[in-house]
Amino acid sequence: MTTTALRAVPGERRGAALARLRHTLGRVLGVLARSVAIFVPVFLVATFVTFALRSLSGLSPARIQLGEEATPEAIQRIEAQWGLDKPFLTQYWDWITGVLHGELGVSWVNGADISTLIGLGLGVSLSIATFALLIGVVVGFALGTLAALRPTTLIDRAITGLVTVISVMPPFVVGIVLVAVLAVGLGLFPSAGYVPAEAGIGPWLAHITLPALALSCDVVADVARQLRTGLVTARGENYVTGAVVRGLSPRRIFFGHILRNGIGPALATLGLKFPALVGASVVTEWIFGLQGFGRFANDSAQAGDVPAVQGVLVVSIVLVVSFNLIVNLVLARVTPASQRGV
């Protein structure tokens, strides 16, 4: 090979690397652009409907503060203080402007800042949901992969039966059993309460482990099922057969072809699971004595605190869209089908 050719090789490699980088950046920016294009109208419509529910509910801060015996004059005075005497669209504009600045309003019940109240509860729920998701991903991926590597065998049937059983177990039942066995019986974990991470990682993990385990069962089951199906399907594709014929090692075939092509459904499942874990933990929080996001939403709804309920719905919308954006970005980077725009 000539000297000129040798000099050309590194240049070609750099050019190919830059081309791949530009392709990756373009793909990520495309996903971001599509997600934003979806998020903006969904957010506006959802917040408008959320705000309109207050007018349809017939609830008023005067009824909460003064009771059912409030006079029309007193009701009118209090509603004017809250700006409820303004036209509907004016009220919505004032509210959505505050939301875009991170201000969710003031509670009708105690006059506290709703952003602060939600922040306190959301920290508890996010800690538990994140740990539950981590448990679900690790255990679900292990079970799904093991079942896919041994299809139609006793191991596959056993894993399938196990995930079927745990998928139908309500989190509050699992929580009660965990408290009775691991907290009361063995004394391995505290049975209730919450300690923030700032007070120490050990106490924080000890207090969120049992609630996270109770919530993780459904995640384990769904991830394991979706991953097993995806891997078994990918294993039967022609490109895997071609990789075997070319003499690639089983490890390279699994990680480079089967896993990358079969992991998509499992990752897509996570996009729905994380927001659901945050919002569906009301009963679990009651069992473990936690004042989290779900319990705050339940208490606010029962008290008729409409601004607090609206704040909860806005935060829920943001959580759903944000986590799905993260999942879409991971899918665009990991799965070959997404990279081809399929």
Side-chain angles (χ1 to χ4, degrees):
M1 184 179 293
T2 65
T3 305
T4 304
L6 289 174
R7 291 198 194 100
V9 171
E12 292 176 357
R13 290 177 179 174
R14 284 195 297 270
L18 289 174
R20 287 195 298 270
L21 179 60
R22 285 195 295 268
H23 180 66
T24 301
L25 290 176
R27 200 167 59 244
V28 170
L29 291 175
V31 172
L32 283 173
R34 288 194 298 270
S35 300
V36 171
I38 295 173
F39 170 74
V40 173
V42 167
F43 181 77
L44 292 176
V45 171
T47 53
F48 184 83
V49 172
T50 297
F51 189 82
L53 291 176
R54 184 181 69 184
S55 300
L56 297 175
S57 68
L59 296 172
S60 168
R63 296 292 183 184
I64 296 176
Q65 296 175 14
L66 303 177
E68 296 297 330
E69 303 300 326
T71 62
E73 293 78 11
I75 292 176
Q76 186 177 5
R77 184 179 68 255
I78 291 180
E79 289 186 346
Q81 293 175 357
W82 288 90
L84 302 181
D85 57 338
K86 299 178 182 178
F88 173 78
L89 292 180
T90 302
Q91 294 181 44
Y92 173 72
W93 176 254
D94 293 339
W95 178 74
I96 193 64
T97 302
V99 168
L100 294 177
H101 287 85
E103 301 172 0
L104 299 178
V106 179
S107 171
W108 282 356
V109 175
N110 52 27
D113 181 65
I114 294 173
S115 299
T116 302
L117 296 176
I118 290 179
L120 295 174
L122 193 61
V124 177
S125 296
L126 284 178
S127 297
I128 297 171
T130 303
F131 197 21
L133 191 71
L134 180 62
I135 296 172
V137 167
V138 173
V139 178
F141 268 64
L143 292 177
T145 302
L146 182 59
L149 293 176
R150 298 290 186 272
T152 69
T153 64
L154 180 61
I155 294 176
D156 183 24
R157 289 194 291 269
I159 292 176
T160 301
L162 174 63
V163 298
T164 301
V165 170
I166 64 176
S167 67
V168 299
M169 295 175 62
F172 72 90
V173 173
V174 178
I176 293 173
V177 172
L178 291 175
V179 169
V181 176
L182 298 181
V184 177
L186 300 177
L188 299 178
F189 298 95
S191 60
Y194 177 77
V195 173
E198 294 80 7
I201 298 299
W204 173 68
L205 285 175
H207 282 82
I208 68 173
T209 297
L210 294 187
L213 285 173
L215 289 175
S216 67
C217 291
D218 191 48
V219 182
V220 170
D222 281 354
V223 170
R225 280 195 295 244
Q226 294 294 337
L227 185 63
R228 182 217 178 261
T229 301
L231 294 181
V232 170
T233 302
R235 195 174 187 179
E237 296 292 339
N238 292 332
Y239 52 78
V240 175
T241 303
V244 174
V245 171
R246 291 197 305 271
L248 299 182
S249 66
R251 180 185 296 274
R252 185 175 177 183
I253 293 174
F254 178 77
F255 287 103
H257 296 277
I258 298 176
L259 183 60
R260 291 190 66 189
N261 286 279
I263 200 175
L267 288 177
T269 298
L270 296 179
L272 302 175
K273 285 301 176 183
F274 184 73
L277 289 175
V278 176
S281 58
V282 180
V283 178
T284 305
E285 290 172 3
W286 274 102
I287 292 173
F288 292 97
L290 302 171
Q291 189 62 49
F293 182 72
R295 190 170 173 182
F296 173 75
N298 179 72
D299 294 345
S300 300
Q302 290 187 350
D305 194 350
V306 176
V309 174
Q310 290 174 336
V312 167
L313 292 175
V314 168
V315 173
S316 300
I317 294 168
V318 173
L319 284 175
V320 171
V321 175
S322 299
F323 197 77
N324 275 277
L325 172 60
I326 295 173
V327 171
N328 288 336
L329 290 174
V330 174
L331 282 170
R333 181 65 185 90
V334 173
T335 58
S338 296
Q339 294 178 16
R340 295 191 301 267
V342 177

